[in-house]
Amino acid sequence: MIVFNAKLIKETIQFDKEEILDVKWFDYDVIVNEMDNQLRGDYVRTAVINQKKNLIAPIDIVNVFKD
């Protein structure tokens, strides 16, 4: 699994309404503590916790797997 981390440029969300029904921002505590039945899998919570703990690798590590 690969999870990408990004920085927020602006708080307004623009998305293609033909592809996605709805989008929302969630606080860290809500994702970790209150969304048990709403996440696609526990890996989402784990990724958010790892990001908060700075347990992330730079994107450059992906270059190791290139042909």
Side-chain angles (χ1 to χ4, degrees):
M1 175 184 66
I2 297 176
V3 177
F4 292 96
N5 184 26
K7 291 184 181 183
L8 179 65
I9 295 174
K10 58 185 176 177
E11 290 190 31
T12 57
I13 304 172
Q14 297 176 352
F15 64 100
D16 185 343
K17 294 178 182 174
E18 297 294 321
E19 294 182 11
I20 300 172
L21 297 176
D22 192 17
V23 295
K24 299 176 184 172
W25 294 116
F26 294 99
D27 291 331
Y28 173 83
D29 291 328
V30 171
I31 294 170
V32 172
N33 299 315
E34 300 175 20
M35 297 187 73
D36 290 339
N37 298 329
Q38 298 173 15
L39 301 175
R40 290 186 179 193
D42 198 45
Y43 64 91
V44 176
R45 179 181 291 103
T46 300
V48 170
I49 292 169
N50 286 345
Q51 192 281 331
K52 181 81 168 185
K53 292 181 178 180
N54 204 29
L55 298 174
I56 55 176
I59 190 68
D60 296 346
I61 199 168
V62 175
N63 291 336
V64 174
F65 302 110
K66 284 186 174 181
D67 288 337

